[in-house]
């Protein structure tokens, strides 16, 4: 008699599904339920329908937070992913002793974010900061703005710090991917007279394209998770120029004690992130994205 | 931006160890590592090292008096405490038994949330007998009933602190009107010194000053209506009031870094003599006690403006300790707060540069004359105005502070107030 194994697949999937439900699905459902309520955290909940969502789309600060987040994504794609790719290219060049640089570039990733934020706040300080002191010392006073106090420079300044931290992280990923490229391909190109520059952009980069795409996805979704760097360096200011979705969420929930509205803002953000992930996956599928095969 | 697994593993490890410690402590009813029968937790935002260390002294006194009890003092960075810190503590499993708070709406919200106990019976008992005048409890009731705080200090929320050496060297005297104040600023700027330094990164420093100016120009009633969201934020009167703030920005009388600088760093710049004036509350005395020895400085109230309000008003608010209604050790906690309010406790606070609200705030203490003077300013003021963030609707205050930050940063007054009004209309 053959054993009845109809339930086996479900039982095998169950632990993972239960864990996923516990940490993602159930909180998401509860958060969505809370988003249609007016609740301070301890008072009587009141059903308000979709009012919180309508309010979100009229909330200039919330909309500005999205604009800032997308600008931040654009800047960090350059300062983190592109810079990481270039660094990886530099440290994989043949004949160079690169271990020191690989470690040096990766060190910021290992430092606590709050420590980095505080250190860079000093670096950017108008009065004692390294940058402005240096600029003034060489007579470039007009090029020494209050980096974190000027709405036109604050977001760029924070993004540069983010790039300083994570360029090394992406360098490590790209470096590992580049190491997998068979040496005979590079050697063949070298024998054909290709320059290091040409080899990098015409052979190495195309061959690690799937890794680059994953890095871009990590960078984009990671931007929506950013918080500590912004909170410590600028707290969303000046004039909300560095307000991102998470800093505004904290303000709404913990300062204004408006948990229902905060839940609505979080629900919208979840939908946006899921939509971006979906679009990205579709684009990759159409472009024939697949794993590395050498 | 990229996810990091190492910190997560570390966090998971810490969480696991902390969780185990919590379970153990729950089983024993004590703090981890404690042999005491009763542990009471007192939470507060930091008022500076001078004050924080006095609480350690008081903890030692209490534990000597009650050997079977232990006090855990939880001090957080002030801005963190006000925003996320206290809320997180109160919702945690180890919620504080007593916590610092300002009188007024914040206190009433805690009571409404079930986090504030009525302590009037304890205050009428022997431990607190004769320690407070009735006036000390103003703003510490809910709709006229109960008392939900043990009064601690009276904070003058903003005065103009000035460096006497700089004033003397330039032959300047304390201004009594806004025009005189502008002349003083002009003279200081001409000498190459920054007239005013402010750390408005978290928006409350210039925000509080602007609120005071608004109350002077709008009149106290219209100010209260505006901060409660009942009157327009972009009224002509408010436009007039904020033009004073705009004047300071336009004339360059304030540090360029105003909206990037934290308040404590602004204090340091004032202590170092890099600016001639700073507008902040009476608690500057506590910081000065440790960070500005030898600095010759004094204060004056915001000079008279043209407006419907009391031009000698003081912006201030009383502070105290609320007792958590959910605490299992209310009586023991009140014993600690009785020490805070005792003659010995009062001396500690006066020594640290605060203005205690007890009947004998400076008895037997060689208190700094400026501290005594500030306490007198508060107690004899013809009008005491509450700051917008601790005295009124916090979302309205946030909209107002945003506008003020924009204006002091050089933004257009009308645009800033129109934006604030749009936000307040949404809240309304």
């Amino acid at each position: 008699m053959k054993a009845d194994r109809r339930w086996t697949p479900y039982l095998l999937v169950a632990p993972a599904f239960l864990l996923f439900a516990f940490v993602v699905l159930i909180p998401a459902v509860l958060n969505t339920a809370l988003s249609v309520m007016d609740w301070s955290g301890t008072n009587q909940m009141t059903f308000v329908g979709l009012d919180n969502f309508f309010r979100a789309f009229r909330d200039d600060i919330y909309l500005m937070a999205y604009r800032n987040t997308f600008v931040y994504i654009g800047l960090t794609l350059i300062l983190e992913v592109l810079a990481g790719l270039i660094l990886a290219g530099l440290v994989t060049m043949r004949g160079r002793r690169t271990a020191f640089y690989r470690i040096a570039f990766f060190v910021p990733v290992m430092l606590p974010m709050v420590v980095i934020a505080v250190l860079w706040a000093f670096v950017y300080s108008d009065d004692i900061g390294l940058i402005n002191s240096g600029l003034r010392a060489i007579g470039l006073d007009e090029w020494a703005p209050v980096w974190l106090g000027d709405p036109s420079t604050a977001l760029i300044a924070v993004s540069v710090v983010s790039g300083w931290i994570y360029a090394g992280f992406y360098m490590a990923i790209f470096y590992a991917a580049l190491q997998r490229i068979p040496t005979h391909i590079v050697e063949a190109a070298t024998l054909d007279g290709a320059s290091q520059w040409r080899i990098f952009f015409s052979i190495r980069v195309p061959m690690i394209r799937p890794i680059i795409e994953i890095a871009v996805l990590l960078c984009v979704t990671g931007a929506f998770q950013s918080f500590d760097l912004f909170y410590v360096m600028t707290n969303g200011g000046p004039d909300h120029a560095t307000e991102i979705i998470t800093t505004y969420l904290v303000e709404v929930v913990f300062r204004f004690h408006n948990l229902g509205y905060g839940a609505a803002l979080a629900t919208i953000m979840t939908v946006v992130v899921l939509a971006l992930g979906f679009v990205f996956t579709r684009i990759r599928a159409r472009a024939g994205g697949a794993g590395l095969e050498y | 931006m990229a996810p990091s697994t190492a910190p997560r593993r570390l966090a998971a490890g810490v969480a696991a160890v902390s969780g185990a410690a919590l379970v153990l402590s729950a089983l024993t009813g004590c703090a981890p590592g404690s042999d005491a029968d009763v542990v009471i937790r007192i939470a507060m935002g930091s008022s500076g090292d001078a004050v924080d260390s006095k609480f350690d002294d008081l903890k030692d006194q209490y534990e000597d008096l009650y050997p079977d009890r232990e006090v855990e003092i939880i001090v957080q960075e002030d801005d963190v405490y006000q925003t996320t810190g206290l809320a997180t503590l109160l919702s945690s499993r180890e919620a504080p038994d007593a916590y610092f708070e300002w009188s007024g709406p914040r206190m009433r919200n805690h009571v409404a949330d079930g986090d504030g106990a009525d302590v009037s019976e304890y205050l009428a008992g022997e431990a607190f007998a004769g320690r407070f005048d009735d006036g000390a409890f103003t703003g510490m009731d809910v709709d006229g009933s109960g008392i939900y705080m043990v009064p601690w200090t009276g904070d003058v929320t903003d005065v103009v602190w000035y460096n006497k050496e700089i004033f003397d060297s330039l032959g300047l005297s304390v201004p009594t009107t806004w025009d005189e104040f502008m002349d003083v600023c002009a003279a200081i700027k001409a000498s190459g010194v920054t007239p005013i330094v402010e750390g408005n990164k978290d928006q409350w420093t210039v925000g509080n000053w602007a609120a005071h100016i608004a109350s002077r120009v709008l009149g106290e009633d219209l100010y209260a209506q505006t901060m409660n969201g009942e009157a327009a934020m972009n009224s002509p009167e408010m436009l007039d009031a904020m033009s004073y703030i705009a004047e300071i920005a336009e004339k360059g009388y304030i540090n360029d870094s105003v909206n990037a600088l934290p308040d404590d760093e602004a204090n340091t710049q004032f202590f170092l003599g890099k600016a001639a004036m700073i507008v902040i509350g009476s608690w500057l005395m506590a910081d000065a006690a440790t960070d500005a020895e030898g600095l010759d400085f004094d204060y004056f109230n915001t000079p008279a403006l043209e407006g419907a309000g009391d031009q000698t008003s003081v912006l201030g608010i009383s502070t105290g300790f609320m007792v958590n209604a959910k605490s299992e050790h209310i009586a023991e906690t009140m014993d600690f707060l009785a020490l805070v309010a005792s003659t010995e406790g009062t001396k500690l606070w006066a020594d640290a540069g605060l203005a205690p609200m007890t009947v004998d705030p400076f008895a037997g203490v060689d208190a700094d004359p400026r501290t005594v003077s500030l306490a007198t300013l508060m107690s004899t003021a013809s009008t005491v105005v509450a700051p917008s963030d601790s005295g009124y609707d916090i979302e309205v205050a946030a909209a107002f502070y945003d506008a003020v930050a924009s204006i002091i940063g050089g933004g257009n007054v009308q645009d800033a107030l129109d934006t604030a009004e749009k936000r307040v209309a949404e809240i309304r």
Side-chain angles (χ1 to χ4, degrees):
Chain A
M1 187 177 141
K2 197 175 178 181
D4 183 357
R5 291 182 175 165
R6 280 177 303 172
W7 294 101
T8 304
Y10 299 103
L11 288 171
L12 290 172
V13 169
F17 179 78
L18 285 174
L19 186 66
F20 180 69
F22 186 71
V23 299
V24 178
L25 281 182
I26 294 172
V29 169
L30 290 176
N31 183 74
T32 307
L34 185 58
S35 67
V36 293
M37 300 288 178
D38 180 20
W39 191 43
S40 74
T42 49
N43 67 349
Q44 186 69 36
M45 277 192 195
T46 312
F47 179 74
V48 293
L50 296 175
D51 282 3
N52 286 330
F53 291 92
F54 294 140
R55 181 183 170 183
F57 290 109
R58 294 191 302 266
D59 188 336
D60 290 339
I61 299 173
Y62 187 56
L63 299 177
M64 189 188 290
Y66 273 96
R67 193 207 68 175
N68 292 341
T69 302
F70 284 112
V71 171
Y72 177 60
I73 288 170
L75 288 170
T76 51
L77 281 173
I78 297 167
L79 296 167
E80 294 179 9
V81 181
L82 184 60
L85 186 60
I86 291 169
L87 288 175
L90 290 173
V91 297
T92 47
M93 279 186 177
R94 206 170 45 174
R96 301 279 174 90
R97 292 177 183 273
T98 60
F100 170 77
Y101 294 104
R102 274 183 277 139
I103 294 168
F105 292 139
F106 195 75
V107 162
V109 184
M110 298 187 287
L111 295 174
M113 187 67 85
V114 173
V115 172
I116 290 172
V118 171
L119 285 176
W120 273 90
F122 279 115
V123 171
Y124 281 128
S125 168
D126 183 46
D127 308 292
I128 56 170
L130 195 66
I131 297 174
N132 280 4
S133 298
L135 289 169
R136 287 184 183 124
I138 56 174
L140 295 175
D141 294 44
E142 290 181 5
W143 290 78
V146 184
W147 297 99
L148 298 177
D150 185 337
S152 63
T153 57
L155 186 56
I156 297 169
V158 177
S159 301
V160 166
V161 180
S162 189
W164 180 78
I165 300 166
Y166 286 113
F169 173 80
Y170 290 109
M171 177 208 70
I173 292 176
F174 295 141
Y175 177 77
L178 289 169
Q179 293 302 305
R180 294 188 58 201
I181 297 174
T183 51
H184 68 265
I185 298 176
V186 177
E187 285 168 358
T190 308
L191 287 173
D192 287 345
S195 65
Q196 289 281 347
W197 182 266
R198 184 73 189 272
I199 290 170
F200 182 68
F201 282 104
S202 298
I203 296 175
R204 286 182 162 147
V205 170
M207 291 189 81
I208 63 164
R209 201 190 74 191
I211 300 296
I212 296 172
E213 289 170 353
I214 295 298
V216 169
L217 183 63
L218 278 177
C219 186
V220 172
T221 54
F224 286 92
Q225 297 169 358
S226 295
F227 173 71
D228 33 17
L229 194 63
F230 286 82
Y231 187 71
V232 176
M233 289 188 75
T234 58
N235 199 11
D239 214 4
H240 298 287
T242 59
E243 197 79 76
I244 55 171
I245 304 158
T246 46
T247 55
Y248 189 52
L249 266 174
V250 166
E251 173 133 318
V252 167
V253 172
F254 289 103
R255 190 171 175 213
F256 302 157
H257 299 287
N258 199 338
L259 271 67
Y261 185 46
L265 302 185
T267 301
I268 295 169
M269 186 177 83
T270 306
V271 171
V272 169
V273 174
L274 286 175
L276 280 173
F278 178 73
V279 168
F280 192 85
T281 310
R282 296 283 295 179
I283 291 172
R284 278 198 73 202
R286 280 190 184 177
L292 298 172
E293 287 182 27
Y294 301 134
Chain B
M1 292 197 319
S4 166
T5 53
R8 281 185 187 169
R9 282 189 198 138
L10 181 63
V14 171
V17 173
S18 306
L22 277 175
V23 170
L24 282 172
S25 65
L27 289 172
T28 59
C30 298
S34 169
D35 293 327
D37 294 336
V38 173
V39 176
I40 60 169
R41 296 178 179 82
I42 314 291
M44 66 195 77
S46 174
S47 300
D49 292 343
V51 177
D52 297 346
S53 65
K54 302 293 184 190
F55 273 101
D56 291 333
D57 295 346
L58 212 62
K59 162 189 158 73
D60 293 340
Q61 281 187 38
Y62 182 82
E63 289 171 355
D64 288 344
L65 272 173
Y66 306 99
D68 58 337
R69 302 180 193 174
E70 185 177 314
V71 180
E72 189 180 324
I73 306 286
I74 304 164
V75 181
Q76 296 185 339
E77 201 272 320
D78 192 44
D79 294 319
V80 173
Y81 181 81
Q82 283 185 50
T83 50
T84 58
L86 178 59
T88 308
L89 283 173
L90 286 173
S91 59
S92 71
R93 285 189 177 189
E94 296 201 338
D97 298 281
Y99 50 97
F100 169 88
E101 195 48 280
W102 288 270
S103 61
R106 281 180 63 104
M107 184 213 74
R108 288 195 290 275
N109 285 340
H110 289 309
V111 176
D113 292 347
D115 293 325
D118 181 357
V119 293
S120 49
E121 280 187 26
Y122 290 96
L123 288 168
E126 193 179 336
F128 291 92
R131 297 304 300 145
F132 297 107
D133 288 328
D134 288 345
F137 301 112
T138 303
M140 297 184 177
D141 60 313
V142 175
D143 298 330
S145 68
I147 298 173
Y148 293 88
M149 280 185 127
V150 176
W152 184 40
T153 61
D155 279 344
V156 176
T157 313
D158 83 315
V159 286
V160 185
W161 297 92
Y162 68 99
N163 184 317
K164 288 178 78 172
E165 282 180 25
I166 294 175
F167 267 53
D168 290 346
S169 67
L170 297 173
L172 301 171
S173 54
V174 169
T176 55
T177 67
W178 187 264
D179 289 341
E180 289 177 17
F181 183 52
M182 289 296 98
D183 291 343
V184 163
C185 288
I188 295 168
K189 189 183 178 191
S191 75
V193 176
T194 303
I196 306 166
V197 63
E198 287 293 312
N200 200 44
K201 181 186 168 194
D202 294 314
Q203 301 195 339
W204 58 265
T205 50
V206 181
N208 276 351
W209 194 26
H212 196 184
I213 288 171
S215 74
R216 294 265 187 93
V217 176
L218 274 66
E220 289 77 21
D221 289 342
L222 182 55
Y223 165 75
Q225 288 167 19
T226 306
M227 294 307 158
N228 279 325
E230 296 159 2
M233 193 60 81
N234 56 353
S235 64
E237 294 87 351
M238 186 61 95
L239 198 67
D240 286 345
M242 292 306 102
S243 66
Y244 288 104
I245 297 292
E247 186 179 5
I248 291 170
E250 284 163 12
K251 291 181 175 173
Y253 292 160
I254 200 160
N255 52 313
D256 292 336
S257 57
V258 56
N259 282 330
L261 202 65
D263 56 289
D264 52 347
E265 286 183 32
N267 294 351
T268 303
Q269 294 212 11
F270 175 70
F271 294 151
L272 292 173
K274 289 188 173 181
M277 293 180 279
I278 184 169
V279 185
I280 203 165
S282 51
W283 53 89
L284 185 82
M285 285 300 299
D287 287 336
T290 52
D291 300 339
E293 277 188 55
L295 180 71
D296 191 8
F297 69 103
D298 207 338
Y299 77 90
F300 56 87
N301 198 357
T302 297
L305 311 161
E306 289 181 14
D310 179 352
Q311 299 307 311
T312 61
S313 68
V314 173
L315 191 78
I317 197 161
S318 54
T319 75
F321 283 90
M322 295 188 70
V323 175
N324 194 338
K326 295 162 190 159
S327 167
E328 293 174 0
H329 308 297
I330 290 180
E332 291 87 346
T333 303
M334 289 304 294
D335 287 337
F336 180 79
L337 296 179
L339 271 184
V340 172
S342 67
T343 306
E344 293 76 18
T346 298
K347 283 181 184 173
L348 291 178
W349 316 130
D351 273 339
L354 301 179
M357 294 190 68
T358 46
V359 291
D360 50 356
F362 303 108
V365 176
D366 185 19
D368 190 294
R370 293 164 295 197
T371 304
V372 178
S373 166
L374 279 164
T376 308
L377 179 74
M378 178 94 169
S379 61
T380 60
S382 51
T383 307
V384 176
V385 178
S388 44
D389 60 345
S390 47
Y392 299 94
D393 186 291
I394 185 65
E395 284 195 67
V396 176
F400 175 64
Y401 285 4
D402 273 351
V404 172
S406 174
I407 294 164
I408 201 68
N412 180 274
V413 177
Q414 185 72 62
D415 291 347
L417 292 177
D418 286 347
T419 303
E421 172 55 20
K422 189 182 172 195
R423 280 178 65 188
V424 174
E426 190 66 51
I427 299 161
R428 220 178 268 142

